[in-house]
Amino acid sequence: MPNLNKLRTAISGGHGGDPATDTSLSPLARLRITLTVFFALDGFLFAGWVVRIPAIKQQTGASASDLGLALLGVSAGAVVTMMFTGRMCGRFGSHPVTVVSSLLLAVSIALPAQTHSVPALGLVLLLFGAAYGSLNVSMNSAAVDLVAALRRPVMSSFHAAFSLGGMVGAGLGGLVAGGLSASTHLLALTGIGLLVTALAGPSLLRHTVPTAAGPAAPSKEKPTPRRPDRRTRRLVVLFGVIALCTAYGEGALADWGALHLAQDLDAGAGLAAAGYSLFALAMTVGRLSGTALLERLGQTRTLVAGGVLASLGMLLGALAPTTWLALAGFAVTGLGLANIFPVAVARAGALAGPSGVAAASTLGYGGMLLGPPAIGFLADWFSLPVALTTVALLAAAAALIAYSARNVSAPEPTTPTDVPADRPRAGAPADAPAVPRH
């Protein structure tokens, strides 16, 4: 688990906590591990679905535009659910919502392989998208709370677990694609999802995060969250748009990357599935180094460099004449996109709390889920390689937006405990590196 050895100094705030008396260490460490498991499970299940899209496309007899329309069911279900998941987390807590959403996702992933028409596929993907959207907002809300308690910019490590789960899910999917039907494969994923949720869910439900930025809250009164002002809401939308531009690329590669390799470059089923696995591996590597990058480069440089790198990589991945060059482009794209989404969501959460997480996540995952249908329609009008170049355009747009917002900062808090330690001080530029407290 990345940075677990730094939990003691993060929690103690540099005051030299005694290992024998630091009772906050164990619960927060266990909570971080449990949340990481849910992020990894989410990536694992989602990747298991996307590598079987070519088989389900053939099973339903869908054209590229028909498949894009069916995938719109995922988008619609997720975006509608995300609009009120933030309120559900505020009422019931992000941990219970995470557990329930994980159970629904595990059950719904088996349904697409049971359909034999485009309308039926679209309907079951509506349920799948609702569960996926709810899980992602609730997980990210829980993660932002834990990041504030740990007082280190470790949001990327949770998203690294998502990418690692996606890499494993895609890799296993590629191995079984030739000998196992989509129905059997996705049903097995349902069993795995239910088992992991049953094992990890009780731990998540038992543990809560301190409400103050330090190890313990000095007052027993419940803090009253401030309603974000207009400027803060605009900043949250800005970071949500950055997340949208880059999540569009992640969704496009997840749903269309394997098909591009198989259809346009004549790659075999296993090698085509390995394309998303390589992309997920690159994202995992990039996100595991995310904390170090943020501390060394700061937010703006990390966002801009990532957007430029992803744009160049996707141009290569979409237009390369050979499979191996396209795979190299996928890997470069994964490295570039790795930290942009978690940084944008974490920044929105630091600005506006759970409502900021919900708003940025809705925009971000909306891009991930609206991207694949858009790619499908563009592929029918032009070609799939040309459609995939829109990923490069939006990644470049994210870099430009991040650079234009380089001087924005959080509003002045009313008390020192309102600000997590990894947030730049009010009045400090947004690209100031986050310096850990020891």
Side-chain angles (χ1 to χ4, degrees):
M1 188 63 198
N3 297 317
L4 276 180
N5 59 324
K6 300 179 182 177
L7 281 172
R8 188 179 313 282
T9 54
I11 295 170
S12 63
H15 297 297
D18 186 349
T21 60
D22 191 352
T23 57
S24 297
L25 173 62
S26 182
L28 285 179
R30 286 198 297 268
L31 179 55
R32 185 178 176 186
I33 292 171
T34 302
L35 260 182
T36 301
V37 168
F38 277 97
F39 272 87
L41 177 64
D42 187 34
F44 178 80
L45 294 179
F46 186 75
W49 143 248
V50 299
V51 299
R52 300 317 297 247
I53 286 177
I56 293 174
K57 177 179 182 293
Q58 182 179 8
Q59 174 181 303
T60 57
S63 66
S65 59
D66 288 338
L67 180 61
L69 191 61
L71 291 173
L72 193 61
V74 181
S75 308
V79 170
V80 169
T81 304
M82 285 174 172
M83 293 174 64
F84 60 83
T85 298
R87 292 195 293 272
M88 291 173 59
C89 290
R91 180 175 180 181
F92 301 107
S94 57
H95 293 184
V97 176
T98 296
V99 173
V100 172
S101 300
S102 182
L103 292 172
L104 290 176
L105 183 67
V107 171
S108 63
I109 198 173
L111 300 179
Q114 310 304 317
T115 62
H116 297 278
S117 67
V118 173
L121 179 61
L123 287 175
V124 299
L125 289 181
L126 189 69
L127 176 61
F128 178 78
Y132 182 74
S134 178
L135 178 58
N136 279 279
V137 170
S138 57
M139 281 191 317
N140 276 287
S141 297
V144 167
D145 291 339
L146 186 55
V147 165
L150 294 175
R151 306 178 71 183
R152 283 183 58 82
V154 297
M155 189 71 168
S156 290
S157 70
F158 293 112
H159 288 259
F162 174 88
S163 297
L164 181 61
M167 182 188 69
V168 174
L172 288 177
L175 289 176
V176 304
L180 204 63
S181 69
S183 177
T184 303
H185 178 203
L186 296 184
L187 191 60
L189 293 184
T190 292
I192 293 172
L194 292 175
L195 177 62
V196 172
T197 303
L199 293 175
S203 176
L204 188 63
L205 294 174
R206 281 196 304 268
H207 294 93
T208 58
V209 178
T211 56
S219 172
K220 294 182 180 180
E221 296 180 3
K222 293 184 179 181
T224 302
R226 295 181 305 164
R227 181 179 179 83
D229 57 26
R230 183 176 300 177
R231 176 177 176 272
T232 300
R233 290 196 296 269
R234 285 200 300 265
L235 292 177
V236 167
V237 171
L238 182 71
F239 286 107
V241 171
I242 292 174
L244 182 151
C245 289
T246 56
Y248 175 97
E250 190 171 349
L253 276 173
D255 284 4
W256 294 102
L259 194 62
H260 168 56
L261 294 173
Q263 172 183 291
D264 300 316
L265 299 175
D266 297 322
L271 189 58
Y276 181 72
S277 183
L278 182 61
F279 170 76
L281 173 61
M283 291 198 75
T284 303
V285 172
R287 285 172 170 174
L288 287 175
S289 62
T291 299
L293 282 173
L294 284 168
E295 292 176 342
R296 185 177 298 271
L297 301 178
Q299 293 176 346
T300 297
R301 293 185 184 92
T302 300
L303 292 174
V304 172
V308 172
L309 188 64
S311 181
L312 295 175
M314 197 59 236
L315 286 176
L316 177 63
L319 303 177
T322 67
T323 300
W324 296 109
L325 281 177
L327 289 173
F330 285 7
V332 173
T333 304
L335 287 173
L337 294 179
N339 292 298
I340 301 179
F341 188 94
V343 168
V345 171
R347 183 63 174 148
L351 286 166
S355 64
V357 174
S361 296
T362 300
L363 285 169
Y365 285 107
M368 179 182 289
L369 299 168
L370 290 171
I375 294 290
F377 290 118
L378 289 171
D380 263 5
W381 293 338
F382 303 102
S383 68
L384 184 52
V386 170
L388 288 174
T389 61
T390 58
V391 174
L393 292 176
L394 288 181
L400 183 61
I401 295 170
Y403 182 75
S404 69
R406 61 192 180 279
N407 293 321
V408 303
S409 59
E412 185 74 26
T414 56
T415 65
T417 56
D418 290 337
V419 186
D422 56 20
R423 187 196 301 177
R425 298 182 306 277
D431 60 349
V435 179
R437 297 185 180 182
H438 297 286

